[in-house]
Amino acid sequence: MSDLRAGVRVSAVSIVWTVSASAASIGLGIASGSLVLVAFGAVGVFDAIGSAVLVAHFRHALRHDAISVSRERIAQLVVATGLLIVGSATVVAAVTKLVRHDHARASVAGLVVSGASIVVLAVLAAMKRRIGLRVPSRALRADGGLSAVGAGTAFAALVGAALKQAAGWWWMDPGAACVIALGAIGLAVVTLRTRDEAPQ
């Protein structure tokens, strides 16, 4: 039961962080023309949705003293769907920006949000994976992967901005967003493939 309560806590913290950071990132990304910031915000939105589903899932398990297999599968489906939507949309937008040679403008506030998110999301990803192994919950581990994708996107935003300033590599923003998006799609496929297997 303590592992389920830990699952509720880490998911609740994830909701609070990702909602606030995502709203800021999407607004700043649109204002500066940074695809990687918008992608980071979108990943956070689906991370928050997945975490909300997991909170309900684990609270149900606490009330019934058992993990519901059907609710676990629903949670996995929600997380995987979020990964697929964000990954696919980001790939299309990234390729479009590369073809059009669109340049992102520097955003100090965006870089601050990205820097903080690297740390917070990396910690949340590790905690979700550890707790997900103990529960056990593939859905929570997949949500940890979604948090890791968010941390990677935030890191890409920082590196892309630094390389654009230092070397004029304008293509780093959409290029990094595309690579991370492909990783999100791959994680979604793995999550869907394991959805019908017994929890472990």
Side-chain angles (χ1 to χ4, degrees):
M1 291 299 112
S2 62
D3 291 334
L4 286 171
R5 291 190 184 91
V8 171
R9 285 194 299 271
V10 74
S11 297
V13 170
S14 184
I15 293 169
V16 172
W17 174 261
T18 53
V19 167
S20 56
S22 294
S25 295
I26 291 172
L28 292 166
I30 291 171
S32 65
S34 172
L35 176 61
V36 78
L37 270 179
V38 174
F40 165 64
V43 168
V45 169
F46 284 101
D47 192 350
I49 293 170
S51 293
V53 171
L54 285 164
V55 167
H57 172 39
F58 294 144
R59 283 182 174 167
H60 178 271
L62 283 167
R63 286 195 302 272
H64 295 84
D65 294 324
I67 286 280
S68 164
V69 174
S70 62
R71 285 174 178 261
E72 174 73 11
R73 288 175 179 164
I74 290 170
Q76 281 183 271
L77 181 60
V78 168
V79 172
T81 301
L83 285 163
L84 279 174
I85 291 171
V86 171
S88 301
T90 302
V91 167
V92 171
V95 170
T96 301
K97 284 182 79 87
L98 286 167
V99 170
R100 292 180 179 175
H101 288 237
D102 285 348
H103 295 232
R105 296 179 300 280
S107 167
V108 175
L111 296 178
V112 169
V113 172
S114 296
S117 295
I118 292 169
V119 177
V120 175
L121 291 175
V123 170
L124 283 172
M127 290 177 68
K128 287 176 183 180
R129 175 162 179 75
R130 187 172 64 248
I131 296 167
L133 286 168
R134 293 201 311 256
V135 169
S137 170
R138 280 197 178 95
L140 183 56
R141 298 200 300 271
D143 196 46
L146 193 47
S147 295
V149 168
T153 310
F155 181 74
L158 281 178
V159 172
L163 288 175
K164 185 188 173 193
Q165 285 294 111
W169 292 0
W170 64 270
W171 48 266
M172 272 300 297
D173 181 86
C178 191
V179 170
I180 291 168
L182 291 173
I185 292 170
L187 180 57
V189 171
V190 171
T191 301
L192 289 171
R193 281 182 177 173
T194 61
R195 188 168 163 256
D196 292 326
E197 296 176 11
Q200 62 178 33

